Amino acid sequence: MRLFLIFFVVLSGLLAGCDSAKSPPPATEPKVNGATLTIPTNSPQRAALMIETVGPEQPVFVPLTGRLVWDDDVTVRIF
């Protein structure tokens, strides 16, 4: 009985290690070649990228109103 139990444990261990050989998934790491960055299509980084066209910079104009005042008691006059 003991021999049968040992045989069963060894056989189940061998069968557990037998798995259909699956090919590893393709590499998803970005590759840098000089000034070029290549990101594979199945990479999670590619899903996070947003690509937009860039136009010329528009000038920013902010209209502000104000009033310039001074205090005659504190102002120094130079002649």
Side-chain angles (χ1 to χ4, degrees), residues 13-29:
L14 289 174
L15 288 176
C18 295
D19 190 16
S20 62
K22 296 178 183 177
S23 62
T28 59
E29 293 293 319

Side-chain angles (χ1 to χ4, degrees), residues 10-64:
V10 171
L11 182 62
S12 63
L14 289 174
L15 288 176
C18 295
D19 190 16
S20 62
K22 296 178 183 177
S23 62
T28 59
E29 293 293 319
K31 294 181 179 129
V32 178
N33 186 10
T36 304
L37 176 68
T38 305
I39 301 175
T41 55
N42 59 348
S43 175
Q45 290 92 353
R46 189 172 193 134
L49 287 178
M50 240 176 26
I51 300 172
E52 296 179 0
T53 57
V54 178
E57 186 176 340
Q58 301 295 323
V60 178
F61 177 73
V62 180
L64 298 174

